[in-house]
Amino acid sequence: MKMIIGGEWIDKKEKIDVINPFDGKVVDTVPRGTAEDVDRAVAAAQKGYEINRNLPSHKRISILKKTAEIMQERYDDLAKTIATEGSKTIKEARKETGRAINTITISAEEARRLDGETIPFDSAVGSEKRVGYYYRFPIGVIAAITPFNDPLNLVAHKLGPAIAGGNAVVCKPATVTPLSALKLGKCLLDAGLPGEILSIVTGHGHEIGDALVRDPRVRMISFTGGVEAGERISKMAGLKKIGMELGSNSPVIVMADCDLKEAVESCVSGAFWAVGQNCIGVQRIYIQRSAYEEFRDAFVARTKKYKVGFQMDEDTDMGPMITETEAKRVIEWVEEAVSQGARLLTGGTRKGTVVQPTVMEKMPPGAKLDCQEVFGPVVSLYPVDTLQEAVEKSNAVDYGLHGAIFTKDVNNAFYAIKHMDVGGIIVNDSTDYRVDLMPFGGIKKSGLGREGIKFALQEMTEPKMVCFNL
Ligand code: NAP
């Protein structure tokens, strides 16, 4: 495919191959964008901003609604694109496509609710004759930088609210999965979005990232990805607003009073969804000691039933990892933990990019799998004596995106809600739960700010104050 600059489809001699991670076959190519392409995209976006801020919101609403309709018509192709350029199974990809359509639909709905409020000026002595209000004003040109693991919906989470709020956007999708983003861009343009409002520049982050991030015409960077890139971007950005959706190594607490069967089912799915390449994927499970063995044995038995392999087979439960380098890294982390005393309960092997779902116990404190983000299909089980101990261990990491607790005791639930240091707590489901309208984001190294359309719209607009002196 070509890339999009100011609504125009642009090709280049220099290409990047888009590879199916299962068999290494080339799915398509995209242009290898340069700093000059970024410069042109930002210049177009400045014009796009003038256009979009002056569009009545009913026009933005109708464009976004039409986009959702077009996405629905192209549902099968979008799902297939996610599953062939990325590592989701076709079943997972269909779910992501449905969610992305929902994300764009909610963006259309929220564009109607961008309201302000009146200010009680007469509460200040000397301001008795003042009246006024604020309304929300678009921030300007937004750079949207997105990761590979949800290549359609995470792009929709930036483009939808950016456009709904009256901004222009320059998106840089992950180099390994640019096609889903470009196809979403095509849906928006086919729905009548004025071209200048949207650019999707393909190219390597280390080659074009700095040009985009440092550009003073860009007023906000909305980034989803890893901590390393996030920190570099924060340093390079200069004076602009920053939204950061970063990683985690999510903890789940399983109390003995819960429905263990449900907890097992939900934690297995939460650990291995998208091959564990999931920012809210389950990585650490703290189980009350009296239920530990029963939970562990059921968890391992369920994991062993997983069918791993080609993403497009309808009965595949888990596809390949995104690259062989990533698959190798995951196995290295497992081997390192084993050499430090961890016990492998199942998995721990790979063939090419296909890693078997892996369950471990006796994980030594300080092992990479214990405290860093594995972003792969590896989960560790830990027995704990008390809820307090489980919460302390859950919190003893640099991340804080989602946490979860399984319990039938409301006091346990409220204890976890109060004391777990995370941006969102799920009670009686795994950490891997999100709907696209809820506020989503983390604390500590998991990020800054919140997404979820209503909340992203707040981040992507600013209050403009109006005061009449009567
Ligand atoms: P990544 O390596 O950080 O890349 C994310 C994006 O940043 C890609 O488009 C990448 O481009 C770009 N990038 C890299 N270096 C850059 C630079 N110096 N300047 C500008 N852009 C740069 O992350 P990933 O491997 O794609 O995704 C995995 C990470 O994302 C995990 O840590 C995961 O937890 C996190 N994540 C978080 C959320 C959330 O909502 N909190 C959701 C999903 C994923 P290239 O592809 O060209 O390198």
mmCIF file of all heavy atoms in Angstrom, residues 2-10 31 37 41 144 146 155 159 169-174 178-186 188-189 195 197-203 208:
data_model
loop_
_atom_site.group_PDB
_atom_site.id
_atom_site.type_symbol
_atom_site.label_atom_id
_atom_site.label_comp_id
_atom_site.label_asym_id
_atom_site.label_seq_id
_atom_site.Cartn_x
_atom_site.Cartn_y
_atom_site.Cartn_z
ATOM 1 N N LYS A 2 0.276 2.370 -0.418
ATOM 2 C CA LYS A 2 0.977 3.648 -0.318
ATOM 3 C C LYS A 2 0.689 4.259 1.047
ATOM 4 O O LYS A 2 -0.203 3.787 1.767
ATOM 5 C CB LYS A 2 0.471 4.575 -1.427
ATOM 6 C CG LYS A 2 0.760 4.030 -2.810
ATOM 7 C CD LYS A 2 0.144 4.920 -3.861
ATOM 8 C CE LYS A 2 0.392 4.326 -5.249
ATOM 9 N NZ LYS A 2 -0.338 5.057 -6.297
ATOM 10 N N MET A 3 1.427 5.333 1.379
ATOM 11 C CA MET A 3 1.112 6.018 2.642
ATOM 12 C C MET A 3 0.254 7.256 2.347
ATOM 13 O O MET A 3 0.069 7.635 1.186
ATOM 14 C CB MET A 3 2.394 6.377 3.394
ATOM 15 C CG MET A 3 3.293 7.370 2.707
ATOM 16 S SD MET A 3 4.779 7.634 3.729
ATOM 17 C CE MET A 3 5.786 8.607 2.614
ATOM 18 N N ILE A 4 -0.259 7.853 3.400
ATOM 19 C CA ILE A 4 -1.170 8.991 3.221
ATOM 20 C C ILE A 4 -0.501 10.255 3.762
ATOM 21 O O ILE A 4 -0.119 10.306 4.933
ATOM 22 C CB ILE A 4 -2.493 8.754 3.989
ATOM 23 C CG1 ILE A 4 -3.163 7.439 3.547
ATOM 24 C CG2 ILE A 4 -3.434 9.933 3.814
ATOM 25 C CD1 ILE A 4 -4.362 7.032 4.410
ATOM 26 N N ILE A 5 -0.375 11.256 2.877
ATOM 27 C CA ILE A 5 0.119 12.558 3.349
ATOM 28 C C ILE A 5 -0.905 13.610 2.957
ATOM 29 O O ILE A 5 -1.190 13.809 1.772
ATOM 30 C CB ILE A 5 1.513 12.890 2.770
ATOM 31 C CG1 ILE A 5 2.523 11.867 3.293
ATOM 32 C CG2 ILE A 5 1.926 14.317 3.156
ATOM 33 C CD1 ILE A 5 3.962 12.136 2.974
ATOM 34 N N GLY A 6 -1.490 14.235 3.932
ATOM 35 C CA GLY A 6 -2.532 15.239 3.672
ATOM 36 C C GLY A 6 -3.639 14.679 2.804
ATOM 37 O O GLY A 6 -4.145 15.360 1.906
ATOM 38 N N GLY A 7 -4.022 13.447 3.030
ATOM 39 C CA GLY A 7 -5.124 12.828 2.285
ATOM 40 C C GLY A 7 -4.728 12.257 0.934
ATOM 41 O O GLY A 7 -5.534 11.610 0.265
ATOM 42 N N GLU A 8 -3.477 12.511 0.489
ATOM 43 C CA GLU A 8 -3.003 11.973 -0.808
ATOM 44 C C GLU A 8 -2.267 10.657 -0.577
ATOM 45 O O GLU A 8 -1.515 10.533 0.407
ATOM 46 C CB GLU A 8 -2.000 12.945 -1.463
ATOM 47 C CG GLU A 8 -2.513 14.349 -1.678
ATOM 48 C CD GLU A 8 -3.474 14.430 -2.857
ATOM 49 O OE1 GLU A 8 -3.247 13.682 -3.822
ATOM 50 O OE2 GLU A 8 -4.430 15.215 -2.787
ATOM 51 N N TRP A 9 -2.449 9.725 -1.536
ATOM 52 C CA TRP A 9 -1.732 8.438 -1.441
ATOM 53 C C TRP A 9 -0.364 8.613 -2.087
ATOM 54 O O TRP A 9 -0.255 8.910 -3.279
ATOM 55 C CB TRP A 9 -2.538 7.330 -2.121
ATOM 56 C CG TRP A 9 -3.781 7.022 -1.337
ATOM 57 C CD1 TRP A 9 -5.001 7.586 -1.506
ATOM 58 C CD2 TRP A 9 -3.889 6.132 -0.223
ATOM 59 N NE1 TRP A 9 -5.889 7.099 -0.560
ATOM 60 C CE2 TRP A 9 -5.225 6.195 0.235
ATOM 61 C CE3 TRP A 9 -3.008 5.289 0.444
ATOM 62 C CZ2 TRP A 9 -5.699 5.449 1.314
ATOM 63 C CZ3 TRP A 9 -3.479 4.539 1.517
ATOM 64 C CH2 TRP A 9 -4.801 4.618 1.947
ATOM 65 N N ILE A 10 0.684 8.438 -1.295
ATOM 66 C CA ILE A 10 2.051 8.728 -1.734
ATOM 67 C C ILE A 10 2.890 7.448 -1.725
ATOM 68 O O ILE A 10 2.881 6.709 -0.747
ATOM 69 C CB ILE A 10 2.716 9.769 -0.782
ATOM 70 C CG1 ILE A 10 1.870 11.049 -0.684
ATOM 71 C CG2 ILE A 10 4.143 10.063 -1.188
ATOM 72 C CD1 ILE A 10 1.790 11.876 -1.942
ATOM 73 N N PRO A 31 5.770 2.397 1.766
ATOM 74 C CA PRO A 31 6.918 3.287 1.561
ATOM 75 C C PRO A 31 7.721 3.489 2.850
ATOM 76 O O PRO A 31 7.146 3.492 3.938
ATOM 77 C CB PRO A 31 6.265 4.614 1.146
ATOM 78 C CG PRO A 31 4.849 4.302 0.822
ATOM 79 C CD PRO A 31 4.476 3.062 1.545
ATOM 80 N N ASP A 37 9.078 13.617 4.542
ATOM 81 C CA ASP A 37 7.661 13.226 4.457
ATOM 82 C C ASP A 37 6.914 13.674 5.712
ATOM 83 O O ASP A 37 5.767 14.129 5.637
ATOM 84 C CB ASP A 37 7.537 11.703 4.296
ATOM 85 C CG ASP A 37 8.175 11.228 2.996
ATOM 86 O OD1 ASP A 37 7.883 11.836 1.949
ATOM 87 O OD2 ASP A 37 8.973 10.276 3.035
ATOM 88 N N ALA A 41 3.759 16.181 5.942
ATOM 89 C CA ALA A 41 2.533 15.746 6.620
ATOM 90 C C ALA A 41 2.118 16.771 7.685
ATOM 91 O O ALA A 41 0.933 17.110 7.817
ATOM 92 C CB ALA A 41 2.750 14.371 7.265
ATOM 93 N N ALA A 144 0.163 10.920 16.386
ATOM 94 C CA ALA A 144 -0.346 9.680 16.979
ATOM 95 C C ALA A 144 0.626 8.559 16.641
ATOM 96 O O ALA A 144 0.801 8.221 15.471
ATOM 97 C CB ALA A 144 -1.730 9.368 16.421
ATOM 98 N N THR A 146 1.676 4.608 17.250
ATOM 99 C CA THR A 146 0.932 3.416 17.703
ATOM 100 C C THR A 146 1.765 2.132 17.612
ATOM 101 O O THR A 146 2.675 2.030 16.781
ATOM 102 C CB THR A 146 -0.360 3.261 16.869
ATOM 103 O OG1 THR A 146 -0.014 3.260 15.483
ATOM 104 C CG2 THR A 146 -1.337 4.388 17.150
ATOM 105 N N VAL A 155 -5.164 2.485 16.742
ATOM 106 C CA VAL A 155 -5.098 3.631 15.820
ATOM 107 C C VAL A 155 -6.447 4.356 15.860
ATOM 108 O O VAL A 155 -6.510 5.591 15.947
ATOM 109 C CB VAL A 155 -4.739 3.163 14.391
ATOM 110 C CG1 VAL A 155 -4.687 4.346 13.436
ATOM 111 C CG2 VAL A 155 -3.403 2.420 14.391
ATOM 112 N N LEU A 159 -7.212 8.342 16.199
ATOM 113 C CA LEU A 159 -7.792 9.094 15.086
ATOM 114 C C LEU A 159 -9.231 9.529 15.404
ATOM 115 O O LEU A 159 -9.619 10.655 15.104
ATOM 116 C CB LEU A 159 -7.781 8.231 13.816
ATOM 117 C CG LEU A 159 -6.544 8.341 12.922
ATOM 118 C CD1 LEU A 159 -5.239 8.315 13.697
ATOM 119 C CD2 LEU A 159 -6.536 7.266 11.839
ATOM 120 N N VAL A 169 -4.397 15.175 12.368
ATOM 121 C CA VAL A 169 -3.560 14.153 12.964
ATOM 122 C C VAL A 169 -2.550 13.588 11.972
ATOM 123 O O VAL A 169 -2.867 13.396 10.793
ATOM 124 C CB VAL A 169 -4.454 13.063 13.628
ATOM 125 C CG1 VAL A 169 -5.420 12.455 12.659
ATOM 126 C CG2 VAL A 169 -3.649 11.989 14.314
ATOM 127 N N VAL A 170 -1.328 13.419 12.469
ATOM 128 C CA VAL A 170 -0.288 12.718 11.707
ATOM 129 C C VAL A 170 0.010 11.441 12.482
ATOM 130 O O VAL A 170 0.505 11.491 13.609
ATOM 131 C CB VAL A 170 1.004 13.555 11.569
ATOM 132 C CG1 VAL A 170 2.080 12.770 10.815
ATOM 133 C CG2 VAL A 170 0.711 14.880 10.876
ATOM 134 N N CYS A 171 -0.330 10.307 11.871
ATOM 135 C CA CYS A 171 -0.156 9.024 12.561
ATOM 136 C C CYS A 171 1.098 8.316 12.038
ATOM 137 O O CYS A 171 1.356 8.310 10.830
ATOM 138 C CB CYS A 171 -1.394 8.154 12.292
ATOM 139 S SG CYS A 171 -1.262 6.490 12.948
ATOM 140 N N LYS A 172 1.854 7.743 12.977
ATOM 141 C CA LYS A 172 2.960 6.848 12.588
ATOM 142 C C LYS A 172 2.665 5.476 13.198
ATOM 143 O O LYS A 172 2.858 5.251 14.388
ATOM 144 C CB LYS A 172 4.309 7.373 13.099
ATOM 145 C CG LYS A 172 5.464 6.699 12.360
ATOM 146 C CD LYS A 172 6.660 6.377 13.203
ATOM 147 C CE LYS A 172 6.619 5.072 13.907
ATOM 148 N NZ LYS A 172 6.550 3.838 13.116
ATOM 149 N N PRO A 173 2.178 4.553 12.352
ATOM 150 C CA PRO A 173 1.875 3.223 12.890
ATOM 151 C C PRO A 173 3.153 2.404 13.068
ATOM 152 O O PRO A 173 4.199 2.753 12.525
ATOM 153 C CB PRO A 173 0.987 2.607 11.798
ATOM 154 C CG PRO A 173 1.386 3.302 10.539
ATOM 155 C CD PRO A 173 1.891 4.666 10.906
ATOM 156 N N ALA A 174 3.049 1.303 13.818
ATOM 157 C CA ALA A 174 4.205 0.415 13.994
ATOM 158 C C ALA A 174 4.678 -0.068 12.626
ATOM 159 O O ALA A 174 3.857 -0.398 11.753
ATOM 160 C CB ALA A 174 3.820 -0.770 14.862
ATOM 161 N N PRO A 178 1.650 -1.770 9.474
ATOM 162 C CA PRO A 178 1.115 -0.479 9.013
ATOM 163 C C PRO A 178 -0.190 -0.590 8.221
ATOM 164 O O PRO A 178 -0.901 0.403 8.033
ATOM 165 C CB PRO A 178 2.226 0.039 8.103
ATOM 166 C CG PRO A 178 2.842 -1.216 7.544
ATOM 167 C CD PRO A 178 2.710 -2.278 8.600
ATOM 168 N N LEU A 179 -0.518 -1.807 7.738
ATOM 169 C CA LEU A 179 -1.610 -1.930 6.760
ATOM 170 C C LEU A 179 -2.977 -1.657 7.379
ATOM 171 O O LEU A 179 -3.834 -1.021 6.751
ATOM 172 C CB LEU A 179 -1.594 -3.326 6.110
ATOM 173 C CG LEU A 179 -0.273 -3.718 5.423
ATOM 174 C CD1 LEU A 179 -0.343 -5.168 4.943
ATOM 175 C CD2 LEU A 179 0.039 -2.788 4.253
ATOM 176 N N SER A 180 -3.188 -2.139 8.598
ATOM 177 C CA SER A 180 -4.487 -1.915 9.246
ATOM 178 C C SER A 180 -4.730 -0.415 9.405
ATOM 179 O O SER A 180 -5.840 0.074 9.172
ATOM 180 C CB SER A 180 -4.519 -2.580 10.630
ATOM 181 O OG SER A 180 -4.183 -3.940 10.530
ATOM 182 N N ALA A 181 -3.678 0.318 9.805
ATOM 183 C CA ALA A 181 -3.812 1.773 9.993
ATOM 184 C C ALA A 181 -4.156 2.441 8.661
ATOM 185 O O ALA A 181 -5.048 3.301 8.591
ATOM 186 C CB ALA A 181 -2.514 2.340 10.552
ATOM 187 N N LEU A 182 -3.443 2.031 7.585
ATOM 188 C CA LEU A 182 -3.698 2.653 6.272
ATOM 189 C C LEU A 182 -5.120 2.347 5.801
ATOM 190 O O LEU A 182 -5.794 3.196 5.200
ATOM 191 C CB LEU A 182 -2.663 2.156 5.251
ATOM 192 C CG LEU A 182 -1.225 2.682 5.491
ATOM 193 C CD1 LEU A 182 -0.211 1.901 4.669
ATOM 194 C CD2 LEU A 182 -1.135 4.181 5.181
ATOM 195 N N LYS A 183 -5.599 1.130 6.099
ATOM 196 C CA LYS A 183 -6.971 0.775 5.672
ATOM 197 C C LYS A 183 -8.002 1.568 6.469
ATOM 198 O O LYS A 183 -9.050 1.946 5.939
ATOM 199 C CB LYS A 183 -7.184 -0.729 5.783
ATOM 200 C CG LYS A 183 -6.410 -1.458 4.677
ATOM 201 C CD LYS A 183 -6.737 -2.923 4.553
ATOM 202 C CE LYS A 183 -5.924 -3.503 3.378
ATOM 203 N NZ LYS A 183 -6.207 -4.902 3.110
ATOM 204 N N LEU A 184 -7.720 1.829 7.743
ATOM 205 C CA LEU A 184 -8.613 2.701 8.511
ATOM 206 C C LEU A 184 -8.589 4.112 7.916
ATOM 207 O O LEU A 184 -9.632 4.757 7.765
ATOM 208 C CB LEU A 184 -8.181 2.733 9.988
ATOM 209 C CG LEU A 184 -8.938 3.732 10.874
ATOM 210 C CD1 LEU A 184 -10.442 3.466 10.886
ATOM 211 C CD2 LEU A 184 -8.397 3.696 12.308
ATOM 212 N N GLY A 185 -7.387 4.570 7.531
ATOM 213 C CA GLY A 185 -7.269 5.883 6.890
ATOM 214 C C GLY A 185 -8.107 5.946 5.626
ATOM 215 O O GLY A 185 -8.803 6.941 5.371
ATOM 216 N N LYS A 186 -8.107 4.865 4.858
ATOM 217 C CA LYS A 186 -8.896 4.841 3.614
ATOM 218 C C LYS A 186 -10.389 4.934 3.944
ATOM 219 O O LYS A 186 -11.144 5.636 3.254
ATOM 220 C CB LYS A 186 -8.566 3.575 2.812
ATOM 221 C CG LYS A 186 -9.350 3.460 1.523
ATOM 222 C CD LYS A 186 -8.633 2.678 0.456
ATOM 223 C CE LYS A 186 -9.512 2.408 -0.762
ATOM 224 N NZ LYS A 186 -10.173 3.596 -1.306
ATOM 225 N N LEU A 188 -11.739 6.461 6.422
ATOM 226 C CA LEU A 188 -12.026 7.855 6.807
ATOM 227 C C LEU A 188 -12.089 8.763 5.567
ATOM 228 O O LEU A 188 -12.995 9.590 5.435
ATOM 229 C CB LEU A 188 -10.952 8.367 7.767
ATOM 230 C CG LEU A 188 -11.102 7.897 9.228
ATOM 231 C CD1 LEU A 188 -9.767 7.931 9.953
ATOM 232 C CD2 LEU A 188 -12.138 8.747 9.967
ATOM 233 N N LEU A 189 -11.130 8.583 4.667
ATOM 234 C CA LEU A 189 -11.118 9.431 3.464
ATOM 235 C C LEU A 189 -12.319 9.118 2.578
ATOM 236 O O LEU A 189 -12.969 10.024 2.040
ATOM 237 C CB LEU A 189 -9.803 9.243 2.699
ATOM 238 C CG LEU A 189 -8.536 9.707 3.455
ATOM 239 C CD1 LEU A 189 -7.269 9.320 2.693
ATOM 240 C CD2 LEU A 189 -8.556 11.213 3.710
ATOM 241 N N GLY A 195 -8.965 15.755 3.189
ATOM 242 C CA GLY A 195 -7.683 15.051 3.193
ATOM 243 C C GLY A 195 -6.638 15.664 4.105
ATOM 244 O O GLY A 195 -5.880 14.946 4.769
ATOM 245 N N ILE A 197 -6.698 16.790 6.860
ATOM 246 C CA ILE A 197 -6.834 16.463 8.289
ATOM 247 C C ILE A 197 -6.055 15.198 8.654
ATOM 248 O O ILE A 197 -5.692 14.997 9.811
ATOM 249 C CB ILE A 197 -8.348 16.324 8.644
ATOM 250 C CG1 ILE A 197 -9.033 17.679 8.467
ATOM 251 C CG2 ILE A 197 -8.576 15.788 10.052
ATOM 252 C CD1 ILE A 197 -10.550 17.632 8.583
ATOM 253 N N LEU A 198 -5.765 14.347 7.670
ATOM 254 C CA LEU A 198 -5.184 13.043 8.014
ATOM 255 C C LEU A 198 -3.927 12.706 7.211
ATOM 256 O O LEU A 198 -3.932 12.737 5.978
ATOM 257 C CB LEU A 198 -6.221 11.929 7.750
ATOM 258 C CG LEU A 198 -5.731 10.510 8.047
ATOM 259 C CD1 LEU A 198 -5.483 10.306 9.535
ATOM 260 C CD2 LEU A 198 -6.742 9.476 7.546
ATOM 261 N N SER A 199 -2.868 12.375 7.947
ATOM 262 C CA SER A 199 -1.686 11.760 7.319
ATOM 263 C C SER A 199 -1.355 10.488 8.077
ATOM 264 O O SER A 199 -1.467 10.457 9.312
ATOM 265 C CB SER A 199 -0.474 12.696 7.378
ATOM 266 O OG SER A 199 -0.688 13.822 6.563
ATOM 267 N N ILE A 200 -0.958 9.463 7.334
ATOM 268 C CA ILE A 200 -0.435 8.247 7.980
ATOM 269 C C ILE A 200 0.906 7.971 7.313
ATOM 270 O O ILE A 200 0.970 7.533 6.154
ATOM 271 C CB ILE A 200 -1.415 7.062 7.833
ATOM 272 C CG1 ILE A 200 -2.755 7.421 8.508
ATOM 273 C CG2 ILE A 200 -0.801 5.794 8.451
ATOM 274 C CD1 ILE A 200 -3.802 6.328 8.479
ATOM 275 N N VAL A 201 1.980 8.307 8.026
ATOM 276 C CA VAL A 201 3.325 8.207 7.459
ATOM 277 C C VAL A 201 3.942 6.894 7.930
ATOM 278 O O VAL A 201 4.071 6.653 9.136
ATOM 279 C CB VAL A 201 4.200 9.394 7.929
ATOM 280 C CG1 VAL A 201 5.585 9.310 7.285
ATOM 281 C CG2 VAL A 201 3.541 10.722 7.586
ATOM 282 N N THR A 202 4.295 6.049 6.947
ATOM 283 C CA THR A 202 4.921 4.774 7.310
ATOM 284 C C THR A 202 6.435 4.966 7.333
ATOM 285 O O THR A 202 6.985 5.746 6.558
ATOM 286 C CB THR A 202 4.543 3.681 6.292
ATOM 287 O OG1 THR A 202 4.824 4.163 4.963
ATOM 288 C CG2 THR A 202 3.065 3.339 6.384
ATOM 289 N N GLY A 203 7.104 4.245 8.227
ATOM 290 C CA GLY A 203 8.557 4.365 8.319
ATOM 291 C C GLY A 203 9.014 3.988 9.707
ATOM 292 O O GLY A 203 8.202 3.844 10.619
ATOM 293 N N ILE A 208 12.241 8.295 11.574
ATOM 294 C CA ILE A 208 11.363 9.470 11.376
ATOM 295 C C ILE A 208 10.737 9.965 12.683
ATOM 296 O O ILE A 208 10.110 11.013 12.705
ATOM 297 C CB ILE A 208 10.248 9.183 10.349
ATOM 298 C CG1 ILE A 208 9.322 8.052 10.825
ATOM 299 C CG2 ILE A 208 10.823 8.888 8.984
ATOM 300 C CD1 ILE A 208 8.092 7.870 9.931
#
